[in-house]
Amino acid sequence: MITFDQLDTELKALENPNTIKIFRNHGCPDSLDLYGLKIGDLKKIIRREKLTKNHELAVELIESNNSDLIYLGLLAVNPNKVTTEQIDKWNVAFRETWSQLTFGLASIVSKRGDALLFAKKWIESEYDLTKSMGWQIYSEHINNLPEAEALLQRAKETLQSESNRTRYSMNGFIITCGIYKDDLHEKAIEAAKSVGKVHVNLGKTSCKVPDAISYIEKARNRVN
């Protein structure tokens, strides 16, 4: 079974300066080491080494100081074996780093039975990336979310006063309501109109914030 040091050595040998530059431009801080591996390459390693069956190694990767190793661990770890204490610890570790890591952590939490408890707590956080995770989790649970309408109203009223990445995830929640909740479709369109254009600093990239109204309508037309 492969070890942490062996994985680290393998990933370091695959270091990609061009991808490193892209990831730095997307917000990966200098405080984290970075080899610049693409997600597809990481997934190949997971399949080859059967890392989803090596929970202890996945945790060790997550608790390293290298963004690629951390994300590899987040992709491989078993959500139901992770403790609430570990989730809280990782939130603290990632909340001032960058969105790739918090996106990965939110994806783990979303697969757990207590996901909505974290979402409820996290959207009240003072940390932008933590709040963003809370809204991401709510979006991923939209089909089983009794409070969806109340959250949609909150997004409508407060999005423009929220912090950076939180605005992005709240915009995503409005879109999700508009696409997947028939009973909230019109209210989501109304919310998007009320909110107006959403500005988010996405780093030195060409990425854009989706226009909620057009995104909802295009997605609905594809489904219908």
Side-chain angles (χ1 to χ4, degrees):
M1 189 173 291
I2 198 165
T3 67
F4 176 94
D5 288 339
Q6 288 171 331
L7 269 177
D8 185 32
T9 298
E10 179 177 347
L11 267 64
K12 186 174 183 179
L14 298 172
E15 186 173 276
N16 187 326
N18 290 332
T19 311
I20 288 175
K21 183 178 180 180
I22 291 170
F23 286 174
R24 293 295 187 200
N25 286 341
H26 276 77
C28 182
D30 292 335
S31 59
L32 287 175
D33 296 330
L34 184 62
Y35 298 145
L37 271 72
K38 297 177 181 179
I39 294 174
D41 294 328
L42 297 178
K43 288 183 176 179
K44 288 178 184 177
I45 293 171
I46 289 173
R47 290 193 295 270
R48 188 195 74 206
E49 298 297 335
K50 298 181 174 59
L51 289 183
T52 55
K53 297 182 179 180
N54 193 341
H55 179 74
E56 291 73 19
L57 177 55
V59 170
E60 189 176 1
L61 292 167
I62 292 169
E63 297 189 347
S64 72
N65 193 53
N66 181 289
S67 184
D68 299 281
L69 296 177
I70 293 169
Y71 197 68
L72 178 62
L74 291 170
L75 291 173
V77 79
N78 185 328
N80 294 315
K81 288 185 178 181
V82 174
T83 67
T84 56
E85 290 78 13
Q86 285 174 317
I87 291 172
D88 287 335
K89 177 182 179 181
W90 297 341
N91 169 44
V92 171
F94 303 156
R95 67 192 182 191
E96 295 184 87
T97 58
W98 71 306
S99 58
Q100 187 186 72
L101 301 188
T102 50
F103 179 89
L105 179 56
S107 296
I108 289 172
V109 175
S110 288
K111 297 179 177 69
R112 295 167 53 93
D114 57 358
L116 296 181
L117 295 178
F118 282 97
K120 184 177 181 180
K121 176 173 65 173
W122 282 352
I123 64 168
E124 306 301 336
S125 173
E126 63 183 279
Y127 290 92
D128 181 38
L129 289 176
T130 301
K131 285 189 290 184
S132 178
M133 285 195 292
W135 285 97
Q136 178 187 333
I137 294 166
Y138 276 135
S139 292
E140 294 185 18
H141 283 262
I142 195 65
N143 290 321
N144 186 30
L145 191 62
E147 61 267 49
E149 184 171 358
L151 288 165
L152 179 61
Q153 183 65 27
R154 175 170 173 169
K156 175 183 176 181
E157 294 175 356
T158 67
L159 184 151
Q160 293 291 14
S161 64
E162 280 290 357
S163 48
N164 193 55
R165 276 287 172 174
T166 303
R167 293 196 300 276
Y168 190 92
S169 291
M170 291 175 87
N171 186 61
F173 182 80
I174 293 172
I175 291 172
T176 303
C177 287
I179 296 172
Y180 298 106
K181 298 285 284 186
D182 289 341
D183 58 324
L184 292 180
H185 172 71
E186 293 300 329
K187 290 185 177 180
I189 295 294
E190 178 188 334
K193 289 179 179 177
S194 177
V195 166
K197 188 172 180 61
V198 178
H199 297 277
V200 177
N201 180 0
L202 297 174
K204 300 175 183 177
T205 75
S206 59
C207 298
K208 297 181 180 179
V209 180
D211 176 75
I213 296 173
S214 61
Y215 199 98
I216 290 169
E217 297 300 354
K218 287 178 182 177
R220 298 273 294 192
N221 288 337
R222 284 198 298 270
V223 173
N224 296 326

